[in-house]
Amino acid sequence: MDLHILDHRLRVTSISKNGLVNYTYPLIKLIFLRNRTRCKFFSLTETPENYTVVLDEEGFKELQPSEHLQVESSIWLPLNVVSNGNVSSSLQAVGVTKIAKSVIGPLAQQHVSVFMLSTYQTDFILVREKDLSVVISTLEEEFNIYKEVEGESVPVRSQDVSNGLQKNAIQPTVHPVLIPQNQFCVMSLDPDTLPSIATTLIDVLFYSNRFPADLLFTSSSGELWRMVRIGGQPLGFDECGIVAQISQPLADGDISAYYISTFSFDHALVSQTSWH
Amino acid sequence: MDLHILDHRLRVTSISKNGLVNYTYPLIKLIFLRNRTRCKFFSLTETPENYTVVLDEEGFKELQPSEHLQVESSIWLPLNVVSNGNVSSSLQAVGVTKIAKSVIGPLAQQHVSVFMLSTYQTDFILVREKDLSVVISTLEEEFNIYKEVEGESVPVRSQDVSNGLQKNAIQPTVHPVLIPQNQFCVMSLDPDTLPSIATTLIDVLFYSNRFPADLLFTSSSGELWRMVRIGGQPLGFDECGIVAQISQPLADGDISAYYISTFSFDHALVSQTSWH
């Protein structure tokens, strides 16, 4: 399998619920007017606590500092697992389950903290730029590792294979979990259809707190997902092993799961059919 | 002919060019998400100086006070001339030309200042609420005057017909005019089509300074208009007779013209075909 280090230098930020009004201008630009910005990676996750915005440095320039914006100090790099030259398809279990044993477990053993962003198509594993050499050393046994540089995939090898790799058994903190009653849809949207639903999405994002029942660009299966929120207190960014702790048992059971980290908490989405 | 005093109490405001970022949130709500607000009258005019926003009191509540927002202190009421029970159709000359002699001239003679908002369908003549009794006294000879109250048209008569009407010849200040090279389209848009062009309109309004050539929901005639801007210095709101000064000669020549007042200047639009 191949592991690609994508050519984005990302910032992880949080906008407070009250502060959204002040960030409507840049967010609409980043979401709906892609040709007005040089931002190439953008993710927005709303939770009851805040909005987590992950975006590259070009996009980050659009966010004016304010009391409503929190910024994690590191640069994060997104990793992407590609099997047989294709982005992992969904024939088998999807999401973090596929990469739990090969990526997430080994990184946790090396005390590398990861920030997960599952999407409909693929899973982005964000690691801190400063951890990159440990990441490469850890994963190069199992993966061919490529760094995307201006559209080219350049093979990379560890600079120094003996740079202090540990094989520690991780003893992660056990965090409380919250399981809300909500059911979730996981959708994918063709960018060309974005303009046609812009007012609806703007309404949902900025002016409403409920998703209208008639706006469902659902996956063809119409599958519904239940969520497990991890963390009773905000998790922070330094603890490692949380994703591993959740994804290992799911992988053992071959249960598909999406995993979405946010500024304060982690979230695993598990298909309702494999819920019990 | 009938004159309707519409059931809106309007504020005339101006948002600075730099301040638009801070007002993106309420403006998008007011323009695109009409069911999220109780605002029933909204007008936005961009000029090189600023954005003039005219809106009713419900809409005005959405605009947070700031250094970027200027508010004219009066409440304004919109008047609308209706001929033969129909909103004036465009068989003859359109715009202020039709109402120059019957409304604008007489009001100027009574020193009532007006704020004009021509639209594709009709012309709104805004007068200050405190001037209403003078307006009614002045116009009731020529018009049947109705006040719209909760959807009903209630006939109104002057309370006191002898309340000091003057018949002064007005001697208006002669203001310099500016005639930019731009050509203008006057369009009307079915509200149902608004969502489909929302991203384009948002782009034009908030992120760009030029109208894309391919976005033309033009009038069927495809007529182009030239603009005359009135005022070398901001006009203020107290001088009266400016609209009359411009519209009388156009009416004498039976030349169609739209007339749009903004916070700083007035603007007349004259069809290119009758330009010379």
Side-chain angles (χ1 to χ4, degrees):
Chain A
M1 287 204 293
D2 297 343
L3 182 83
H4 288 252
I5 303 162
L6 304 183
D7 194 10
H8 305 295
R9 303 182 77 236
L10 306 182
R11 304 301 299 257
V12 178
T13 72
S14 159
I15 296 172
S16 70
K17 288 272 162 173
N18 290 339
L20 188 69
V21 170
N22 306 102
Y23 288 94
T24 304
Y25 183 90
L27 290 179
I28 284 183
K29 184 173 173 181
L30 290 163
I31 300 169
F32 295 102
L33 302 168
R34 302 308 303 267
N35 60 339
R36 291 263 164 237
T37 152
R38 297 168 70 189
C39 177
K40 303 283 186 226
F41 190 107
F42 178 84
S43 160
L44 171 68
T45 309
E46 180 176 357
T47 61
E49 298 77 29
N50 52 35
Y51 299 86
T52 296
V53 178
V54 180
L55 71 184
D56 64 18
E57 289 180 308
E58 287 292 338
F60 182 62
K61 287 179 196 163
E62 308 274 355
L63 304 182
Q64 295 299 313
S66 85
E67 55 177 332
H68 297 292
L69 182 73
Q70 280 182 274
V71 182
E72 204 282 322
S73 59
S74 315
I75 298 288
W76 296 78
L77 304 178
L79 313 180
N80 194 207
V81 170
V82 178
S83 45
N84 309 320
N86 303 313
V87 171
S88 51
S89 68
S90 53
L91 292 177
Q92 316 118 295
V94 299
V96 283
T97 299
K98 302 185 71 139
I99 53 174
K101 290 191 194 310
S102 59
V103 181
I104 293 167
L107 290 179
Q109 281 188 316
Q110 299 307 323
H111 295 272
V112 171
S113 77
V114 300
F115 187 98
M116 280 297 305
L117 283 180
S118 290
T119 69
Y120 188 83
Q121 281 85 7
T122 189
D123 302 277
F124 297 102
I125 308 136
L126 275 55
V127 296
R128 284 193 173 94
E129 190 173 47
K130 70 175 176 58
D131 291 335
L132 189 60
S133 62
V134 178
V135 169
I136 292 170
S137 320
T138 308
L139 301 179
E140 69 185 349
E141 258 181 61
E142 185 122 8
F143 291 94
N144 298 313
I145 305 182
Y146 297 90
K147 194 162 171 44
E148 306 274 342
V149 181
E150 291 169 9
E152 300 280 307
S153 296
V154 182
V156 288
R157 303 266 322 148
S158 170
Q159 302 285 309
D160 172 12
V161 282
S162 60
N163 61 352
L165 290 197
Q166 309 154 29
K167 280 269 180 186
N168 305 317
I170 48 169
Q171 297 182 315
T173 314
V174 176
H175 291 282
V177 298
L178 180 76
I179 302 172
Q181 285 302 307
N182 316 40
Q183 295 177 317
F184 293 84
C185 290
V186 180
M187 309 175 193
S188 169
L189 193 63
D190 183 332
D192 293 343
T193 65
L194 198 56
S196 66
I197 58 157
T199 52
T200 310
L201 279 182
I202 288 173
D203 192 9
V204 170
L205 281 171
F206 296 102
Y207 301 95
S208 163
N209 40 25
R210 57 181 62 221
F211 217 70
D214 55 346
L215 177 82
L216 285 179
F217 297 80
T218 50
S219 62
S220 52
S221 66
E223 209 170 6
L224 288 171
W225 300 74
R226 291 289 299 274
M227 184 217 280
V228 179
R229 192 186 83 167
I230 301 110
Q233 295 293 317
L235 296 168
F237 292 90
D238 293 321
E239 188 182 335
C240 54
I242 304 172
V243 189
Q245 186 183 3
I246 301 292
S247 61
Q248 293 285 15
L250 292 171
D252 292 341
D254 204 28
I255 295 168
S256 292
Y258 292 103
Y259 197 100
I260 296 171
S261 301
T262 68
F263 210 82
S264 303
F265 300 104
D266 277 12
H267 307 80
L269 288 169
V270 178
S271 170
Q272 188 137 44
T273 52
S274 34
W275 182 250
H276 296 291
Chain B
M1 287 204 293
D2 297 343
L3 182 84
H4 288 252
I5 304 161
L6 304 182
D7 194 10
H8 306 295
R9 303 182 76 236
L10 305 181
R11 304 302 299 256
V12 177
T13 73
S14 160
I15 296 171
S16 70
K17 287 273 161 170
N18 289 339
L20 187 68
V21 171
N22 305 102
Y23 288 94
T24 304
Y25 183 89
L27 290 179
I28 284 183
K29 184 173 174 181
L30 289 163
I31 299 170
F32 295 102
L33 302 168
R34 302 308 304 267
N35 60 341
R36 290 264 165 237
T37 151
R38 296 167 71 188
C39 177
K40 303 282 185 226
F41 190 108
F42 178 85
S43 161
L44 171 67
T45 309
E46 179 176 358
T47 61
E49 296 77 28
N50 52 37
Y51 299 86
T52 297
V53 179
V54 180
L55 71 183
D56 64 19
E57 289 180 308
E58 286 290 340
F60 182 62
K61 286 180 197 163
E62 309 274 356
L63 304 181
Q64 296 299 312
S66 85
E67 54 177 333
H68 297 292
L69 182 73
Q70 281 182 272
V71 182
E72 205 282 323
S73 58
S74 314
I75 297 289
W76 297 77
L77 304 177
L79 312 181
N80 195 207
V81 170
V82 178
S83 45
N84 309 320
N86 303 314
V87 171
S88 50
S89 68
S90 54
L91 293 177
Q92 316 118 297
V94 298
V96 283
T97 299
K98 302 184 72 140
I99 53 173
K101 288 192 196 309
S102 58
V103 181
I104 293 166
L107 290 178
Q109 280 188 317
Q110 299 305 324
H111 295 271
V112 172
S113 78
V114 300
F115 188 98
M116 280 296 306
L117 282 180
S118 290
T119 70
Y120 188 83
Q121 281 85 8
T122 190
D123 303 277
F124 296 101
I125 308 136
L126 275 55
V127 296
R128 284 192 173 95
E129 190 172 47
K130 70 175 176 58
D131 291 334
L132 189 59
S133 63
V134 178
V135 169
I136 292 170
S137 318
T138 308
L139 301 179
E140 69 185 349
E141 258 180 60
E142 186 123 5
F143 290 94
N144 299 312
I145 305 181
Y146 298 90
K147 195 160 171 46
E148 306 275 343
V149 181
E150 291 169 9
E152 299 281 307
S153 295
V154 182
V156 287
R157 304 266 322 147
S158 169
Q159 302 285 309
D160 172 11
V161 282
S162 59
N163 61 351
L165 291 197
Q166 309 153 28
K167 279 272 180 185
N168 306 316
I170 48 166
Q171 298 182 314
T173 314
V174 176
H175 291 284
V177 299
L178 179 76
I179 302 172
Q181 285 301 307
N182 316 40
Q183 296 177 316
F184 293 84
C185 290
V186 180
M187 308 174 194
S188 169
L189 193 63
D190 183 332
D192 292 343
T193 66
L194 198 56
S196 66
I197 58 159
T199 52
T200 310
L201 279 182
I202 288 172
D203 192 10
V204 170
L205 281 171
F206 296 102
Y207 301 95
S208 163
N209 40 26
R210 57 180 62 222
F211 217 71
D214 56 345
L215 177 81
L216 285 179
F217 296 79
T218 50
S219 62
S220 51
S221 66
E223 208 171 5
L224 289 171
W225 300 74
R226 290 290 298 276
M227 184 218 279
V228 179
R229 192 185 83 167
I230 300 110
Q233 294 292 319
L235 295 169
F237 292 90
D238 292 322
E239 188 182 335
C240 53
I242 303 172
V243 189
Q245 187 184 1
I246 300 292
S247 62
Q248 292 286 15
L250 293 170
D252 292 341
D254 205 28
I255 295 167
S256 292
Y258 293 104
Y259 196 100
I260 297 171
S261 301
T262 68
F263 210 82
S264 304
F265 299 105
D266 277 11
H267 307 80
L269 289 168
V270 178
S271 168
Q272 188 137 45
T273 52
S274 36
W275 182 251
H276 296 290

